[in-house]
Amino acid sequence: MTRLPLRLTLLAAALATSLPALAANGTMPHGYGIKAQGMGGASIALPQDALAAANNPAGMALVGNRLDLGLAVVMPKPASTFGGTDFDGDGVKAIPIPEFGYNRMLDSRQSVGVSVYGNGVTTKYDTNILGGPGSGKDGAKLMQVIVSPTYAVKLSDTQAVGVSLDLAYQRFRVDGVPDATGQEGQGTETSMGAGFKLGWTGQVSEKVTLGAMYAARMRMGKLDAYRNLLAHNGEFDVPERYGVGIAVRPVEGVVIAADLMRVNWGDIKSLGNALTDAQAGFGWHSQTISRIGASWQATPALQVRGGFSHGTQIVAGKDTTLNYLAPVTPQNHVTAGATWTLPDRSELSVVYARVLGEEVKGTGPSAGVDVRMSQNWIGAAYAWKW
């Protein structure tokens, strides 16, 4: 197998995966908040908890006084093939993804709150693949935590707007991969950054609500220890994203919601540069994500949910080589969830998501390198309301 140029680039942005879990949404979860995740991520026009600011800041004006604590666990199964030899990258069997949300109504129209959520990816192989003799086992780990203090206000009984200040912290590590100087084992590097989100939601008829959101690119500090590995001297920003949503209540107790979102991965050089560029990257394409979900109030105390999310493929066949470190190939999530309202008005919510496996086969400069991933995702959250 031909050795790669030493100037490799790394990946990602995705809950503590996602965080998260990668999947239909690259390294972002398919939605923020256990309730939204149960509906395939559909949330821009349907705020359901104090994680609403992660999806659309305007929704915080509509969820009332509440505190939400949640934890999801992602079980990824990444793998790659080099020249016909299969490598298993699931050395990390489970990735925890915590979430937190708090919202307080200042009066009947205004609210202040904070949503805390994350992105990320972890891949760990049981051997060295690309390094020379004495290299460590290949792997990569990214964790991003985003804190979004938010102000939202109802402009009328049917319209609301909101704004969030997004404050981000990330930890990044690559093992077993030499940089442009032939060095590896740089350890864990951290950086911080900031951005903002804007949102609107409006009820346009008795049964239809619309929403729109925009999240600016978060400019993160350079990962200095990886300036010879990541393009643009260690750049690793959180990408710009924007989207629109709709929620329809066709009959009492039933809600159908859908979102269309764009995530501009390709604008970040360390992610968007092609393998053959002077500063190699993952060759990720910007992505369009569509998601749809439904909920049904089965009893006064029980609400059940289901959903589906699809994202266009971000990994190109000609750029699969570096993506073995973060094989974010899945495009489709299938989800289910439920919420029980307890006698004291507190809530217990659960979610299960199956991230369907997807393989991208290498072509051109990446011929012979195939990458793939699937995931299982379970989570639960408890909420206090007053």
Side-chain angles (χ1 to χ4, degrees):
M1 183 181 72
T2 303
R3 287 280 175 199
L4 292 175
L6 291 179
R7 188 166 185 88
L8 300 177
T9 346
L10 227 269
L11 115 305
L15 249 135
T17 285
S18 51
L19 218 254
L22 322 177
N25 311 22
T27 59
M28 292 181 179
H30 58 280
Y32 295 110
I34 297 297
K35 290 183 177 181
Q37 291 166 14
M39 296 183 66
S43 54
I44 294 176
L46 186 66
Q48 299 186 78
D49 52 33
L51 271 295
N55 304 306
N56 180 352
M60 297 290 265
L62 306 175
V63 298
N65 296 315
R66 58 185 298 138
L67 171 67
D68 292 86
L69 294 175
L71 177 67
V73 176
V74 181
M75 292 156 281
K77 191 168 181 59
S80 61
T81 300
F82 281 76
T85 301
D86 292 333
F87 296 93
D88 185 351
D90 66 348
V92 177
K93 302 298 183 182
I95 305 170
I97 309 167
E99 62 181 36
F100 168 84
Y102 172 80
N103 194 61
R104 180 178 180 83
M105 299 301 297
L106 300 177
D107 54 33
S108 61
R109 297 174 54 247
Q110 303 175 88
S111 74
V112 292
V114 61
S115 299
V116 182
Y117 50 102
N119 306 301
V121 59
T122 298
T123 302
K124 185 176 181 180
Y125 289 90
D126 56 8
T127 187
N128 177 262
I129 300 175
L130 294 181
S135 290
K137 296 178 180 179
D138 288 16
K141 184 174 184 178
L142 172 73
M143 181 192 74
Q144 295 175 335
V145 177
I146 301 169
V147 180
S148 296
T150 301
Y151 171 77
V153 59
K154 295 178 184 177
L155 302 178
S156 68
D157 290 340
T158 60
Q159 310 278 325
V161 294
V163 59
S164 297
L165 172 64
D166 291 337
L167 304 173
Y169 168 82
Q170 65 181 359
R171 295 169 59 88
F172 183 85
R173 181 186 180 99
V174 179
D175 294 305
V177 181
D179 64 16
T181 67
Q183 301 298 309
E184 61 178 90
Q186 293 91 339
T188 299
E189 180 65 288
T190 65
S191 72
M192 295 184 290
F196 67 90
K197 280 197 304 292
L198 303 174
W200 164 84
T201 185
Q203 186 175 348
V204 296
S205 74
E206 182 180 351
K207 296 184 176 183
V208 178
T209 301
L210 302 179
M213 62 80 63
Y214 172 80
R217 174 173 173 169
M218 279 190 261
R219 304 283 177 172
M220 307 295 293
K222 298 292 180 71
L223 297 167
D224 290 335
Y226 291 94
R227 63 173 55 252
N228 294 311
L229 185 67
L230 295 171
H232 209 217
N233 297 317
E235 174 190 82
F236 213 97
D237 292 345
V238 180
E240 174 190 55
R241 59 190 171 100
Y242 45 87
V244 294
I246 184 172
V248 180
R249 294 167 172 80
V251 296
E252 185 176 356
V254 174
V255 182
I256 300 171
D259 293 345
L260 185 66
M261 178 175 287
R262 182 73 171 175
V263 183
N264 289 327
W265 305 106
D267 291 348
I268 300 171
K269 288 181 170 57
S270 57
L271 299 177
N273 282 9
L275 177 67
T276 54
D277 285 350
Q279 292 185 324
F282 281 81
W284 285 11
H285 299 303
S286 294
Q287 183 181 41
T288 299
I289 299 162
S290 53
R291 48 200 193 189
I292 187 169
S295 69
W296 173 46
Q297 194 71 47
T299 73
L302 174 63
Q303 186 178 53
V304 294
R305 304 180 181 88
F308 177 78
S309 174
H310 171 79
T312 55
Q313 182 59 256
I314 66 175
V315 178
K318 64 183 179 62
D319 294 307
T320 56
T321 303
L322 297 186
N323 281 278
Y324 85 103
L325 287 172
V328 292
T329 58
Q331 297 179 258
N332 300 309
H333 293 78
V334 180
T335 72
T339 293
W340 289 268
T341 300
L342 306 179
D344 63 355
R345 295 183 66 242
S346 62
E347 296 175 343
L348 175 63
S349 299
V350 297
V351 65
Y352 170 74
R354 173 60 178 170
V355 182
L356 304 181
E358 188 84 21
E359 182 176 62
V360 176
K361 293 186 175 295
T363 60
S366 293
V369 181
D370 306 330
V371 294
R372 54 196 173 275
M373 178 185 278
S374 63
Q375 294 175 6
N376 287 292
W377 182 310
I378 59 173
Y382 193 84
W384 294 263
K385 299 188 298 181
W386 63 94

